[in-house]
Structures are given as C-alpha cells and as structure tokens.
Amino acid sequence: MKPLLIARNLSRNFGGLKAVDMVDFSVNPGEVRAVIGPNGAGKTTLVSLLCGRIEPSSGVIGFNGEDITRVPAHIRVRMGIAYTFQITSIFPNLTVYDNVALAAQRTLTDGRSRKALDASVRDAMLHVGLTERASTPAAALSYGHQRLLEIAMGLALHPRLLILDEPTQGLSDGEIKDFIKLVRDIRKETTVLLIEHNMDVVMRLADRITVMENGRILAEGAPRSIRANAKVQQAYLGTADG
C-alpha cells in the first residue's frame, strides 16, 4: 500500500530551537493515525508543516503521490487535506449552517450548484449531530458543540485526510465518548491523523501511534506495542492522563 501522506527528513527550526528534527513520517489510506508526546515535543509543529500553515526548514512532503513541500495551505485544502485547530476556529456571529457552508465553498467549482452545496453542508452537520442546531449562532453553542462544528467544517471539504489537533481538549466524558463514535464513523470515508493527549482516546481509536520527543520520533507502532515500550513509558505514558 502506498502512503497517502509522506514526509522525509522534515525539519523546522525557530532560531536555535529544532521544533521538528529530521522526521520521517507516513500515513496510509484509511487508517486512524495518532501522534502523541509531551508538551513541546513538536506535534503541532509537525502537523502545521503537513497542512502548509508553516514552511519546513528542510525536507520533503508528499501527498497522494505529489510533492507538496512548497504548496500553500489553501491549495492543500483543495487537494484533500483538512485541518482542525487545537483552539476552535469558527465564526461566532454566523450560524452553524453558514459556518459549514463557508468551509464547503472553498472546494466549490463553477459547475457545482447551490443544491450541491446545501447537500454537502447538511451531510457534514448530520455526521457530527448538529442538524437541529443549523440556525443557531456559533457563539451560542457549548464548547463541545463548537469543537464538533469545527469538525463539520473540515468534513464539508470532503477531505482525503482529516487532521484533528487536540480535538477532545475541554470536552466532558460524555462528549469524548461521542467523539470516539464520530471518528469511527468518519474513518469509513476519510483517513484521520489525530494529535491527542488523552491516552484512552488514542488507544481506542488509533491503528498506529507515533510518539514524539524533542522534535524527533521516539517510537512508532500499534497501540499495544507503544503501551509496552519502556522508552515511551519513561518519556510520556508514565505521566500522561489516563
């Protein structure tokens, strides 16, 4: 199986700080891939490089067989990479429907009708359970529903790869349970790259886990092997929540 996303010798320096240091990384089509590590490990910088929010200092990034190393973020969206932020990034004064519609319009072509846009928006809202809140201003949503709205905005792009950065941050136990069900549903159609601190969520969802420390990859493997890895336990799992 050819990887959907691949990075080779990927680095990003901020002055003398090597936030990402010579990382080799790949994501296969159809998998749920998790990236974990302590704060400052380089996780968010890595995914920012992958989605084009920042440029690498060195290295190569490929997506679906194409070199996207210098491709701008908005073009990567059209190519099929959607990224939800660690902190909610919504338009608070717009309704749920309009937030999702704005996202969907980023992939519209001249040949797509208003009817097709409406269908795309409603399908995304249905996926995350926000259909009944379509006319609700985003600012009036609970924090958990705002996170779901952001995922709906990502799904409306019909991505081949959906990157979720700390999606369960601030969610209640019940909302986390619903999120796990949601990702299991999403993976039927979309490859998922998950950056997450909640180890219970990671172990229940991920096919493979990448552990980062100090900008480098410390370990990779299936959940069981990662849980049993002594280096991972010392660097992260022993002090992680859950």
Side-chain angles (χ1 to χ4, degrees), residues 33-224:
R33 182 65 171 277
V35 178
I36 68 172
N39 291 332
K43 306 181 301 295
T44 295
T45 301
L46 174 63
V47 296
S48 294
L49 291 167
L50 298 176
C51 71
R53 293 184 65 214
I54 59 176
E55 291 191 357
S57 301
S58 62
V60 176
I61 304 169
F63 180 72
N64 197 28
E66 297 186 46
D67 186 339
I68 63 168
T69 309
R70 302 298 172 185
V71 173
H74 70 281
I75 301 298
R76 296 189 199 194
V77 169
R78 294 179 183 176
M79 295 175 72
I81 299 176
Y83 175 53
T84 68
F85 294 91
Q86 185 173 358
I87 302 173
T88 50
S89 180
I90 58 177
F91 300 96
N93 296 325
L94 298 181
T95 65
V96 167
Y97 182 97
D98 288 341
N99 267 274
V100 181
L102 277 175
Q105 287 174 347
R106 297 181 70 178
T107 57
L108 281 178
T109 63
D110 292 339
R112 285 190 65 184
S113 65
R114 175 70 190 184
K115 185 176 181 180
L117 172 64
D118 181 70
S120 180
V121 172
R122 295 193 179 281
D123 182 63
M125 291 191 301
L126 181 63
H127 258 91
V128 303
L130 290 178
T131 300
E132 295 183 357
R133 293 177 171 82
S135 60
T136 302
L141 297 175
S142 67
Y143 182 77
H145 284 137
Q146 288 182 0
R147 299 309 301 262
L148 291 176
L149 172 57
E150 193 177 41
I151 294 174
M153 293 166 70
L155 291 175
L157 298 169
H158 299 288
R160 296 195 62 182
L161 175 65
L162 178 62
I163 303 175
L164 303 174
D165 191 355
E166 301 288 0
T168 68
Q169 181 176 292
L171 300 189
S172 67
D173 289 344
E175 289 169 337
I176 289 174
K177 185 177 179 179
D178 290 340
F179 170 78
I180 291 172
K181 293 179 181 178
L182 174 61
V183 172
R184 287 174 175 165
D185 183 46
I186 291 172
R187 72 168 303 167
K188 298 173 184 177
E189 303 174 5
T190 304
T191 302
V192 177
L193 176 57
L194 178 67
I195 296 82
E196 182 57 65
H197 274 299
N198 187 314
M199 291 308 302
D200 181 60
V201 171
V202 170
M203 293 297 173
R204 292 173 67 181
L205 285 176
D207 298 304
R208 288 192 296 161
I209 300 171
T210 296
V211 184
M212 294 191 68
E213 183 185 33
N214 297 324
R216 291 178 172 266
I217 292 179
L218 177 67
E220 285 186 327
R224 180 175 295 182

Side-chain angles (χ1 to χ4, degrees), residues 6-45:
I6 190 167
R8 290 289 178 262
N9 299 320
L10 192 62
S11 296
R12 173 65 192 199
N13 303 328
F14 295 99
L17 173 66
K18 293 183 178 181
V20 172
D21 188 10
M22 298 295 288
V23 164
D24 290 339
F25 181 77
S26 64
V27 180
N28 292 327
E31 75 173 334
V32 175
R33 182 65 171 277
V35 178
I36 68 172
N39 291 332
K43 306 181 301 295
T44 295
T45 301

